[in-house]
Amino acid sequence: MSALPPCPQCGSEFTYQDGANLVCPECAHEWSAAADAPADTVRVYRDAAGNVLQDGDTVTVIKDLKPKGSGGVIKQGTKVKNIRLVDSDHDIDCKIDGFGAMSLKSEFVRKV
Ligand SMILES: [Zn+2]
């Protein structure tokens, strides 16, 4: 029934959780449950000022951006509504009036 990982020291499956630690009843080994957390833990997205961004936020662009493949410039101060966070280099998916679907970097925006 337990989803806890086996003891890394002796392989016992009778590990149990004690606060933030996992404990093995057979060899008394204790280790941090957090250290065993999967690598794909939730990524935190931050804007240029360090504010945490979330899906649906409205942000403004903090510098002129020249999107690839487009002749135009997204002006500093352009408001971008309803952003969607994605796990990639350009980590914000959004739509900008006059440009359409766009990918931005969170370091170039500021939460409104
Ligand atoms: Zn053990």
XYZ file of all heavy atoms in Angstrom:
834
model
N 0.826 -1.212 0.000
C 0.000 0.000 0.000
C 0.862 1.265 0.000
O 0.438 2.306 -0.407
C -0.908 0.034 1.237
C -2.117 -0.905 1.150
S -3.295 -0.408 -0.103
C -4.086 1.004 0.724
N 2.090 1.139 0.485
C 2.918 2.327 0.648
C 3.618 2.712 -0.641
O 4.135 1.853 -1.352
C 3.965 2.087 1.741
O 4.872 3.168 1.750
N 3.623 4.020 -0.939
C 4.327 4.491 -2.126
C 5.735 4.945 -1.771
O 6.433 5.490 -2.603
C 3.567 5.644 -2.755
N 6.144 4.741 -0.545
C 7.466 5.188 -0.125
C 8.551 4.329 -0.781
O 8.360 3.137 -0.992
C 7.589 5.105 1.404
C 6.641 6.021 2.177
C 6.751 5.739 3.667
C 6.957 7.478 1.894
N 9.684 4.937 -1.092
C 10.778 4.171 -1.713
C 11.421 3.232 -0.690
O 11.349 3.490 0.507
C 11.753 5.263 -2.150
C 11.497 6.398 -1.227
C 10.033 6.342 -0.878
N 12.040 2.176 -1.144
C 12.735 1.280 -0.216
C 13.958 1.946 0.388
O 14.461 2.928 -0.140
C 13.134 0.089 -1.097
C 13.155 0.635 -2.489
C 12.132 1.721 -2.536
N 14.414 1.408 1.491
C 15.594 1.953 2.165
C 16.806 1.901 1.231
O 17.108 0.847 0.676
C 15.871 1.141 3.424
S 17.430 1.585 4.211
N 17.493 3.049 1.031
C 18.654 3.046 0.133
C 19.831 2.288 0.740
O 20.782 1.943 0.044
C 18.980 4.535 -0.033
C 18.401 5.195 1.163
C 17.216 4.376 1.589
N 19.786 2.044 2.027
C 20.905 1.390 2.700
C 20.773 -0.138 2.663
O 21.725 -0.833 2.344
C 20.960 1.865 4.158
C 22.258 1.525 4.868
C 22.852 2.762 5.505
O 23.201 3.725 4.818
N 22.943 2.753 6.815
N 19.600 -0.662 3.000
C 19.464 -2.122 3.092
C 18.387 -2.668 2.163
O 18.223 -3.874 2.055
C 19.171 -2.540 4.537
S 17.503 -2.107 5.063
N 17.654 -1.774 1.504
C 16.660 -2.247 0.551
C 15.341 -2.648 1.177
O 14.451 -3.141 0.485
N 15.190 -2.451 2.462
C 13.942 -2.810 3.131
C 12.768 -2.010 2.567
O 12.898 -0.822 2.274
C 14.057 -2.541 4.625
O 12.773 -2.587 5.216
N 11.643 -2.675 2.432
C 10.462 -1.984 1.927
C 9.558 -1.491 3.041
O 8.474 -0.980 2.794
C 9.682 -2.925 0.998
C 10.433 -3.202 -0.285
C 9.737 -4.254 -1.141
O 8.624 -4.665 -0.788
O 10.329 -4.637 -2.157
N 10.013 -1.652 4.273
C 9.154 -1.272 5.404
C 9.452 0.135 5.903
O 9.340 0.429 7.077
C 9.311 -2.291 6.540
C 8.923 -3.676 6.113
C 9.891 -4.641 5.889
C 7.583 -3.995 5.914
C 9.532 -5.919 5.485
C 7.226 -5.271 5.510
C 8.208 -6.247 5.288
N 9.852 0.993 4.982
C 10.162 2.364 5.379
C 8.892 3.096 5.773
O 7.805 2.774 5.294
C 10.832 3.121 4.224
O 10.061 2.929 3.043
C 12.234 2.607 3.986
N 9.044 4.046 6.652
C 7.899 4.871 7.012
C 8.341 6.320 7.110
O 9.535 6.624 7.212
C 7.242 4.410 8.311
C 8.138 4.434 9.521
C 8.184 5.555 10.338
C 8.928 3.334 9.843
C 9.000 5.575 11.459
C 9.748 3.344 10.953
C 9.788 4.465 11.763
O 10.601 4.491 12.853
N 7.384 7.209 7.068
C 7.673 8.633 7.057
C 7.590 9.199 8.466
O 6.663 8.892 9.216
C 6.681 9.366 6.143
C 7.061 10.818 5.910
C 6.722 11.285 4.483
O 5.980 10.623 3.781
N 7.269 12.406 4.086
N 8.595 10.008 8.818
C 8.610 10.659 10.126
C 8.899 12.138 9.885
O 10.041 12.537 9.736
C 9.679 10.019 11.010
C 9.702 10.651 12.394
O 8.707 11.291 12.781
O 10.719 10.525 13.084
N 7.850 12.935 9.803
C 8.027 14.350 9.464
C 8.553 14.461 8.049
O 7.994 13.880 7.123
N 9.664 15.182 7.873
C 10.240 15.364 6.546
C 11.181 14.219 6.188
O 11.716 14.183 5.090
C 10.989 16.683 6.483
N 11.396 13.290 7.111
C 12.349 12.210 6.876
C 11.655 10.886 6.628
O 10.526 10.653 7.059
C 13.277 12.049 8.086
C 14.293 13.159 8.168
O 14.663 13.758 7.169
N 14.733 13.435 9.378
N 12.363 10.006 5.932
C 11.944 8.613 5.819
C 12.839 7.805 6.747
O 14.021 8.088 6.896
C 12.088 8.138 4.371
C 11.192 8.872 3.364
C 11.500 8.404 1.954
C 9.725 8.677 3.680
N 12.272 6.805 7.366
C 13.000 6.010 8.349
C 12.874 4.538 7.983
O 11.795 4.071 7.610
C 12.444 6.251 9.774
C 13.253 5.461 10.802
C 12.428 7.727 10.108
N 13.989 3.810 8.110
C 13.970 2.371 7.898
C 13.954 1.680 9.262
O 14.838 1.904 10.082
C 15.197 1.947 7.104
S 15.355 0.164 6.983
N 12.965 0.844 9.515
C 12.887 0.193 10.826
C 13.897 -0.949 10.962
O 14.150 -1.426 12.058
C 11.454 -0.340 10.870
C 11.089 -0.544 9.440
C 11.840 0.495 8.642
N 14.475 -1.376 9.874
C 15.347 -2.560 9.929
C 16.797 -2.196 10.206
O 17.476 -2.883 10.953
C 15.221 -3.354 8.643
C 13.790 -3.829 8.444
C 13.688 -5.026 7.496
O 14.718 -5.590 7.120
O 12.549 -5.362 7.139
N 17.282 -1.103 9.587
C 18.676 -0.719 9.842
C 18.754 0.661 10.485
O 19.833 1.175 10.705
C 19.490 -0.745 8.545
S 19.065 0.571 7.393
N 17.602 1.248 10.777
C 17.527 2.537 11.466
C 18.093 3.686 10.635
O 18.393 4.753 11.155
C 18.198 2.483 12.838
N 18.250 3.454 9.331
C 18.719 4.528 8.454
C 17.621 5.581 8.321
O 16.453 5.254 8.180
C 19.071 3.947 7.083
C 19.616 4.954 6.114
N 20.686 5.768 6.402
C 19.237 5.268 4.843
C 20.928 6.546 5.350
N 20.074 6.267 4.397
N 18.024 6.860 8.385
C 17.081 7.965 8.186
C 17.574 8.827 7.051
O 18.756 9.106 6.947
C 17.000 8.835 9.455
C 16.001 8.361 10.472
C 15.851 9.370 11.599
O 15.677 10.558 11.299
O 15.927 8.943 12.765
N 16.672 9.268 6.190
C 17.076 10.150 5.107
C 15.940 11.082 4.770
O 14.791 10.854 5.169
C 17.559 9.353 3.895
C 16.508 8.561 3.181
C 15.902 8.903 2.014
C 15.945 7.301 3.561
N 14.998 7.942 1.653
C 15.008 6.940 2.585
C 16.161 6.444 4.643
C 14.269 5.772 2.643
C 15.417 5.269 4.705
C 14.487 4.940 3.717
N 16.287 12.108 4.045
C 15.302 13.145 3.742
C 14.388 12.708 2.615
O 14.853 12.281 1.557
C 16.019 14.438 3.365
O 15.111 15.319 2.740
N 13.094 12.807 2.832
C 12.142 12.464 1.781
C 12.275 13.428 0.616
O 12.091 13.059 -0.537
C 10.723 12.493 2.327
N 12.604 14.682 0.910
C 12.698 15.704 -0.137
C 13.801 15.379 -1.131
O 13.674 15.641 -2.318
C 12.930 17.069 0.477
N 14.902 14.812 -0.649
C 16.032 14.513 -1.527
C 15.656 13.469 -2.570
O 16.266 13.403 -3.625
C 17.216 14.025 -0.717
N 14.638 12.674 -2.279
C 14.224 11.640 -3.202
C 13.094 12.104 -4.121
O 12.549 11.325 -4.876
C 13.761 10.397 -2.431
C 14.948 9.487 -2.133
O 16.049 9.826 -2.582
O 14.767 8.469 -1.465
N 12.731 13.374 -3.999
C 11.640 13.886 -4.826
C 12.021 13.776 -6.295
O 13.190 13.926 -6.648
C 11.348 15.335 -4.471
N 11.053 13.501 -7.152
C 11.364 13.390 -8.578
C 11.951 14.685 -9.125
O 11.661 15.773 -8.635
C 10.014 13.074 -9.223
C 8.983 13.260 -8.180
C 9.653 13.283 -6.846
N 12.768 14.554 -10.160
C 13.476 15.715 -10.700
C 12.512 16.712 -11.334
O 12.816 17.893 -11.423
C 14.502 15.269 -11.728
N 11.359 16.238 -11.771
C 10.434 17.141 -12.449
C 9.503 17.840 -11.459
O 8.305 17.882 -11.648
C 9.629 16.400 -13.511
C 8.779 15.289 -12.914
O 9.049 14.893 -11.773
O 7.834 14.843 -13.584
N 10.082 18.337 -10.375
C 9.275 19.115 -9.442
C 8.841 20.397 -10.125
O 9.413 20.797 -11.135
C 10.065 19.444 -8.170
O 11.366 19.844 -8.544
C 10.139 18.239 -7.243
N 7.858 21.037 -9.550
C 7.250 22.186 -10.202
C 8.262 23.308 -10.390
O 8.955 23.700 -9.457
C 6.065 22.703 -9.375
C 5.445 23.922 -10.042
C 5.042 21.609 -9.191
N 8.362 23.782 -11.591
C 9.273 24.873 -11.893
C 8.633 26.192 -11.475
O 7.437 26.395 -11.668
C 9.549 24.863 -13.394
C 10.403 26.024 -13.853
C 10.770 25.851 -15.317
N 11.334 27.081 -15.836
C 11.722 27.234 -17.092
N 11.603 26.253 -17.935
N 12.218 28.380 -17.508
N 9.452 27.069 -10.904
C 8.947 28.383 -10.516
C 9.404 29.389 -11.562
O 10.579 29.471 -11.892
C 9.470 28.786 -9.129
C 9.007 30.197 -8.777
C 9.009 27.793 -8.082
N 8.445 30.124 -12.085
C 8.731 31.129 -13.109
C 8.745 32.499 -12.444
O 7.834 32.839 -11.708
C 7.654 31.086 -14.198
C 7.591 29.768 -14.922
C 6.906 28.691 -14.362
C 8.214 29.603 -16.142
C 6.852 27.478 -15.015
C 8.156 28.381 -16.805
C 7.485 27.328 -16.236
O 7.431 26.136 -16.886
N 9.767 33.274 -12.728
C 9.856 34.605 -12.142
C 10.057 35.650 -13.230
O 10.725 35.390 -14.217
C 11.034 34.678 -11.156
C 10.815 33.824 -9.934
C 11.988 33.943 -8.988
N 11.891 32.967 -7.927
C 11.141 33.134 -6.831
N 10.479 34.255 -6.664
N 11.089 32.201 -5.913
N 9.473 36.833 -12.999
C 9.667 37.914 -13.964
C 10.983 38.633 -13.665
O 11.756 38.220 -12.801
C 8.467 38.860 -13.948
C 8.388 39.678 -12.663
O 9.293 39.569 -11.812
O 7.419 40.433 -12.513
N 11.223 39.737 -14.385
C 12.480 40.452 -14.257
C 12.699 40.972 -12.848
O 13.835 41.158 -12.410
C 12.512 41.610 -15.257
N 11.622 41.205 -12.112
C 11.738 41.743 -10.758
C 11.707 40.648 -9.696
O 11.757 40.932 -8.510
C 10.605 42.741 -10.508
N 11.605 39.405 -10.132
C 11.606 38.302 -9.178
C 10.227 37.896 -8.693
O 10.113 37.032 -7.836
N 9.165 38.518 -9.238
C 7.812 38.102 -8.873
C 7.501 36.746 -9.495
O 7.901 36.479 -10.622
C 6.778 39.112 -9.372
C 6.995 40.489 -8.794
O 7.094 40.650 -7.593
N 7.095 41.475 -9.666
N 6.782 35.925 -8.773
C 6.403 34.616 -9.296
C 5.264 34.789 -10.304
O 4.283 35.472 -10.032
C 5.977 33.682 -8.150
C 5.462 32.357 -8.713
C 7.150 33.442 -7.216
N 5.441 34.178 -11.462
C 4.421 34.264 -12.517
C 3.561 33.016 -12.516
O 4.022 31.925 -12.201
C 5.095 34.395 -13.886
C 5.931 35.656 -14.099
C 6.747 35.532 -15.371
C 5.044 36.883 -14.150
N 2.297 33.206 -12.898
C 1.375 32.080 -13.004
C 0.603 32.169 -14.296
O 0.458 33.246 -14.878
C 0.395 32.098 -11.825
C 1.079 31.798 -10.506
C 0.104 31.821 -9.350
O -0.711 32.726 -9.255
N 0.180 30.837 -8.500
N 0.084 31.016 -14.728
C -0.785 31.001 -15.902
C -1.895 32.025 -15.734
O -2.485 32.132 -14.666
C -1.417 29.613 -16.068
C -0.444 28.610 -16.668
O 0.630 29.015 -17.120
O -0.776 27.419 -16.675
N -2.187 32.763 -16.802
C -3.280 33.714 -16.764
C -2.885 35.097 -16.301
O -3.698 36.014 -16.326
N -1.634 35.262 -15.854
C -1.188 36.578 -15.408
C -1.121 37.556 -16.577
O -1.020 37.168 -17.736
C 0.207 36.485 -14.786
C 0.157 36.091 -13.321
O -0.946 36.074 -12.748
O 1.222 35.804 -12.769
N -1.168 38.846 -16.229
C -0.911 39.897 -17.206
C 0.456 40.497 -16.902
O 0.771 40.789 -15.752
C -1.998 40.986 -17.120
O -3.263 40.402 -17.427
C -1.708 42.111 -18.102
N 1.260 40.657 -17.945
C 2.608 41.201 -17.762
C 2.825 42.336 -18.766
O 2.078 42.473 -19.732
C 3.687 40.118 -17.983
C 3.533 38.987 -16.981
C 3.639 39.560 -19.400
N 3.846 43.139 -18.514
C 4.276 44.085 -19.531
C 5.706 43.755 -19.935
O 6.497 43.235 -19.144
C 4.247 45.543 -19.035
O 5.028 45.652 -17.854
C 2.838 46.001 -18.749
N 6.011 44.067 -21.198
C 7.352 43.845 -21.731
C 8.253 44.961 -21.230
O 7.886 46.138 -21.292
C 7.292 43.807 -23.274
C 8.676 43.657 -23.876
C 6.367 42.690 -23.741
N 9.441 44.629 -20.706
C 10.296 45.658 -20.095
C 11.351 46.192 -21.049
O 12.089 47.114 -20.715
C 10.996 45.135 -18.825
C 11.864 43.919 -19.151
C 9.974 44.821 -17.753
C 12.879 43.615 -18.054
N 11.463 45.626 -22.233
C 12.367 46.203 -23.225
C 11.842 45.877 -24.614
O 11.057 44.952 -24.776
C 13.791 45.679 -23.049
C 13.900 44.161 -23.120
C 15.340 43.715 -23.076
C 15.890 43.468 -24.476
N 17.255 42.956 -24.514
N 12.270 46.660 -25.596
C 11.846 46.383 -26.967
C 12.343 45.004 -27.386
O 13.518 44.687 -27.209
C 12.417 47.440 -27.920
C 11.748 48.798 -27.729
O 10.839 48.881 -26.887
O 12.150 49.750 -28.418
N 11.441 44.211 -27.940
C 11.805 42.866 -28.385
C 11.534 42.744 -29.871
O 10.515 43.208 -30.365
C 10.991 41.818 -27.625
C 11.147 41.771 -26.109
C 10.159 40.781 -25.515
C 12.565 41.398 -25.727
N 12.473 42.109 -30.555
C 12.274 41.848 -31.980
C 12.044 40.364 -32.163
O 12.986 39.585 -32.186
C 13.508 42.289 -32.774
C 13.584 43.773 -32.989
C 14.770 44.121 -33.878
C 14.936 45.637 -33.924
N 16.288 46.028 -34.347
N 10.796 39.967 -32.295
C 10.531 38.540 -32.468
C 11.086 38.041 -33.788
O 11.012 38.736 -34.805
C 9.000 38.442 -32.429
C 8.497 39.818 -32.605
C 9.594 40.784 -32.295
N 11.640 36.845 -33.736
C 12.201 36.233 -34.947
C 11.114 36.032 -35.994
O 10.003 35.636 -35.685
C 12.806 34.873 -34.600
C 14.264 34.951 -34.212
C 14.815 33.549 -34.019
C 16.076 33.622 -33.150
N 16.299 32.419 -32.396
N 11.445 36.260 -37.240
C 10.508 36.005 -38.317
C 9.438 37.064 -38.459
O 8.524 36.934 -39.248
N 9.562 38.116 -37.652
C 8.582 39.195 -37.737
C 9.341 40.488 -37.945
O 10.391 40.702 -37.351
C 7.751 39.246 -36.461
O 7.286 40.558 -36.253
N 8.808 41.340 -38.817
C 9.507 42.590 -39.073
C 9.318 43.608 -37.969
O 10.042 44.579 -37.880
N 8.351 43.362 -37.113
C 7.978 44.371 -36.140
C 8.780 44.312 -34.850
O 9.653 43.479 -34.664
N 8.475 45.240 -33.988
C 9.099 45.298 -32.677
C 7.999 45.329 -31.621
O 7.056 46.103 -31.732
C 9.988 46.557 -32.539
C 10.526 46.672 -31.119
C 11.124 46.513 -33.542
N 8.135 44.479 -30.629
C 7.224 44.550 -29.491
C 7.793 45.610 -28.554
O 8.870 45.461 -27.999
C 7.121 43.189 -28.778
C 6.614 42.124 -29.756
C 6.199 43.289 -27.572
C 6.697 40.718 -29.201
N 7.058 46.690 -28.439
C 7.571 47.840 -27.698
C 7.610 47.581 -26.202
O 6.733 46.917 -25.646
C 6.677 49.059 -27.966
C 6.812 49.600 -29.367
C 8.051 50.448 -29.478
C 8.162 51.082 -30.868
N 9.544 51.510 -31.123
N 8.598 48.181 -25.586
C 8.643 48.205 -24.129
C 7.337 48.765 -23.595
O 6.842 49.760 -24.113
C 9.817 49.079 -23.680
C 9.913 49.226 -22.181
C 11.025 50.197 -21.790
O 11.791 50.637 -22.634
N 11.093 50.521 -20.523
N 6.774 48.125 -22.588
C 5.516 48.593 -22.026
C 4.295 47.927 -22.625
O 3.186 48.139 -22.150
N 4.497 47.126 -23.684
C 3.360 46.394 -24.262
C 2.761 45.462 -23.218
O 3.475 44.737 -22.542
C 3.828 45.562 -25.481
O 4.361 46.447 -26.461
C 2.667 44.775 -26.078
N 1.448 45.540 -23.108
C 0.774 44.698 -22.117
C 0.418 43.363 -22.750
O -0.085 43.318 -23.869
C -0.485 45.417 -21.624
C -0.995 44.880 -20.303
C -2.169 45.701 -19.787
C -1.713 46.750 -18.797
N -2.850 47.384 -18.095
N 0.712 42.302 -22.030
C 0.441 40.956 -22.524
C -0.468 40.257 -21.523
O -0.104 40.047 -20.376
C 1.745 40.149 -22.685
C 1.442 38.780 -23.277
C 2.745 40.907 -23.551
N -1.677 39.921 -22.016
C -2.664 39.327 -21.111
C -2.668 37.815 -21.219
O -2.369 37.250 -22.266
C -4.067 39.840 -21.463
C -4.293 41.271 -21.050
C -5.713 41.691 -21.428
C -5.886 43.186 -21.201
N -7.073 43.695 -21.868
N -3.067 37.198 -20.120
C -3.367 35.765 -20.121
C -2.192 34.920 -20.617
O -2.314 34.142 -21.550
C -4.618 35.517 -20.983
C -5.260 34.189 -20.637
O -4.998 33.624 -19.565
N -6.074 33.683 -21.527
N -1.045 35.096 -19.971
C 0.131 34.327 -20.378
C -0.029 32.864 -19.984
O -0.794 32.522 -19.090
C 1.426 34.888 -19.739
C 1.363 34.799 -18.216
C 1.665 36.313 -20.202
C 2.693 35.070 -17.549
N 0.727 32.016 -20.693
C 0.746 30.601 -20.354
C 2.211 30.187 -20.191
O 3.033 30.437 -21.068
C 0.086 29.773 -21.458
C -0.374 28.410 -20.994
C -1.284 27.801 -22.037
N -0.581 27.550 -23.290
C 0.180 26.466 -23.499
N 0.315 25.553 -22.579
N 0.773 26.292 -24.651
N 2.528 29.580 -19.066
C 3.910 29.223 -18.780
C 4.227 27.854 -19.360
O 3.462 26.914 -19.206
C 4.123 29.238 -17.263
C 3.881 30.625 -16.663
C 3.730 30.539 -15.155
C 4.993 31.586 -17.028
N 5.345 27.765 -20.018
C 5.773 26.504 -20.625
C 7.213 26.228 -20.216
O 7.987 27.142 -19.921
C 5.667 26.546 -22.168
C 4.217 26.635 -22.595
C 6.452 27.708 -22.733
N 7.567 24.950 -20.212
C 8.891 24.556 -19.763
C 9.853 24.532 -20.943
O 10.164 23.500 -21.503
C 8.805 23.178 -19.110
C 10.107 22.842 -18.383
O 10.954 23.729 -18.259
O 10.247 21.687 -17.936
N 10.292 25.728 -21.352
C 11.274 25.786 -22.423
C 12.073 27.073 -22.269
O 11.876 27.821 -21.328
C 10.596 25.728 -23.796
O 10.121 26.995 -24.166
N 13.001 27.303 -23.210
C 13.865 28.473 -23.128
C 13.047 29.759 -23.121
O 13.224 30.629 -22.272
C 14.824 28.444 -24.321
C 15.757 29.638 -24.332
O 16.163 30.055 -23.231
O 16.071 30.136 -25.412
N 12.135 29.887 -24.097
C 11.164 30.971 -24.071
C 9.974 30.447 -23.289
O 9.166 29.683 -23.828
C 10.755 31.374 -25.490
C 11.830 32.131 -26.211
N 13.039 31.569 -26.539
C 11.892 33.419 -26.649
C 13.790 32.475 -27.152
N 13.125 33.609 -27.234
N 9.887 30.833 -22.029
C 8.998 30.093 -21.132
C 7.601 30.691 -20.999
O 6.830 30.256 -20.154
C 9.653 29.917 -19.756
C 10.292 31.186 -19.249
O 10.024 32.263 -19.808
O 11.068 31.102 -18.285
N 7.284 31.687 -21.807
C 5.941 32.261 -21.779
C 5.307 32.172 -23.163
O 5.859 32.688 -24.134
C 5.969 33.737 -21.320
C 6.464 33.827 -19.877
C 4.588 34.369 -21.460
C 6.623 35.253 -19.402
N 4.187 31.493 -23.252
C 3.372 31.504 -24.462
C 2.286 32.551 -24.287
O 1.666 32.628 -23.232
C 2.709 30.136 -24.680
C 3.576 29.210 -25.513
O 4.670 29.633 -25.915
O 3.155 28.071 -25.744
N 2.047 33.335 -25.317
C 1.031 34.375 -25.180
C 0.605 34.828 -26.568
O 1.144 34.389 -27.571
C 1.596 35.568 -24.417
S 3.047 36.274 -25.212
N -0.394 35.704 -26.576
C -0.808 36.342 -27.820
C -0.658 37.835 -27.642
O -1.074 38.393 -26.617
C -2.260 35.992 -28.146
C -2.388 34.678 -28.858
C -3.806 34.453 -29.313
C -3.919 33.084 -29.998
N -5.310 32.724 -30.260
N -0.071 38.469 -28.637
C 0.117 39.907 -28.575
C -0.597 40.532 -29.759
O -0.431 40.081 -30.896
C 1.619 40.269 -28.603
C 2.321 39.658 -27.395
C 1.804 41.780 -28.641
C 3.811 39.898 -27.363
N -1.387 41.564 -29.464
C -2.130 42.234 -30.527
C -1.175 42.672 -31.630
O -0.160 43.309 -31.376
C -2.864 43.456 -29.966
C -4.026 43.046 -29.075
O -4.403 41.861 -29.118
O -4.525 43.904 -28.331
N -1.503 42.331 -32.852
C -0.690 42.729 -33.989
C 0.414 41.733 -34.310
O 1.033 41.814 -35.360
N 0.671 40.803 -33.392
C 1.725 39.812 -33.625
C 1.181 38.384 -33.628
O 1.744 37.503 -34.247
C 2.822 39.917 -32.571
C 3.661 41.149 -32.718
C 3.309 42.318 -32.055
C 4.787 41.150 -33.517
C 4.067 43.455 -32.193
C 5.554 42.296 -33.661
C 5.189 43.459 -32.997
N 0.112 38.164 -32.876
C -0.414 36.800 -32.778
C 0.305 36.002 -31.716
O 0.869 36.560 -30.778
N 0.311 34.686 -31.918
C 0.928 33.802 -30.924
C 2.426 34.068 -30.845
O 3.096 34.253 -31.849
C 0.666 32.352 -31.293
N 2.940 34.091 -29.639
C 4.296 34.562 -29.408
C 4.900 33.798 -28.227
O 4.175 33.352 -27.350
C 4.171 36.050 -29.039
C 5.389 36.896 -29.170
S 6.223 36.756 -30.728
C 5.073 37.503 -31.851
N 6.205 33.633 -28.258
C 6.904 33.087 -27.095
C 7.860 34.135 -26.555
O 8.635 34.728 -27.303
C 7.697 31.833 -27.479
O 6.826 30.793 -27.826
N 7.775 34.368 -25.269
C 8.640 35.365 -24.637
C 9.467 34.713 -23.549
O 9.176 33.620 -23.087
C 7.792 36.472 -23.996
C 6.901 37.298 -24.907
C 6.084 38.262 -24.063
C 7.732 38.057 -25.922
N 10.501 35.423 -23.123
C 11.276 34.972 -21.974
C 10.801 35.726 -20.735
O 10.602 36.939 -20.776
C 12.768 35.262 -22.194
C 13.381 34.390 -23.256
C 14.884 34.555 -23.253
C 15.517 33.656 -24.298
N 16.983 33.620 -24.185
N 10.659 34.991 -19.653
C 10.141 35.608 -18.427
C 11.056 36.726 -17.918
O 10.616 37.634 -17.234
C 9.932 34.550 -17.347
O 11.122 33.810 -17.143
N 12.351 36.662 -18.282
C 13.262 37.703 -17.792
C 13.024 39.055 -18.457
O 13.574 40.055 -18.019
C 14.715 37.249 -18.019
C 15.080 37.126 -19.489
C 16.255 36.163 -19.724
O 16.036 34.943 -19.724
O 17.382 36.647 -19.897
N 12.227 39.072 -19.533
C 11.960 40.332 -20.233
C 10.574 40.885 -19.955
O 10.090 41.755 -20.669
C 12.144 40.153 -21.738
C 13.553 39.815 -22.135
C 13.811 38.882 -23.106
C 14.623 40.445 -21.523
C 15.116 38.561 -23.468
C 15.927 40.144 -21.875
C 16.182 39.198 -22.848
N 9.903 40.356 -18.958
C 8.579 40.870 -18.624
C 8.504 41.185 -17.138
O 9.339 40.761 -16.347
C 7.469 39.851 -18.985
C 7.512 39.490 -20.451
C 7.536 38.628 -18.108
N 7.490 41.937 -16.816
C 7.211 42.259 -15.417
C 5.727 42.091 -15.166
O 4.909 42.555 -15.948
C 7.652 43.689 -15.094
C 7.545 44.028 -13.624
C 7.932 45.469 -13.405
N 9.354 45.665 -13.601
C 10.181 46.054 -12.621
N 9.716 46.280 -11.430
N 11.456 46.232 -12.864
N 5.414 41.446 -14.074
C 4.025 41.203 -13.732
C 3.329 42.518 -13.431
O 3.884 43.406 -12.788
C 3.971 40.296 -12.498
C 2.614 39.792 -12.147
C 2.786 38.714 -11.076
C 1.472 38.298 -10.510
N 1.636 37.108 -9.666
N 2.082 42.655 -13.922
C 1.325 43.883 -13.695
C 0.605 43.803 -12.353
O -0.053 42.807 -12.077
C 0.294 44.096 -14.826
C -0.536 45.350 -14.543
C 0.990 44.230 -16.165
Zn 17.360 0.027 5.946
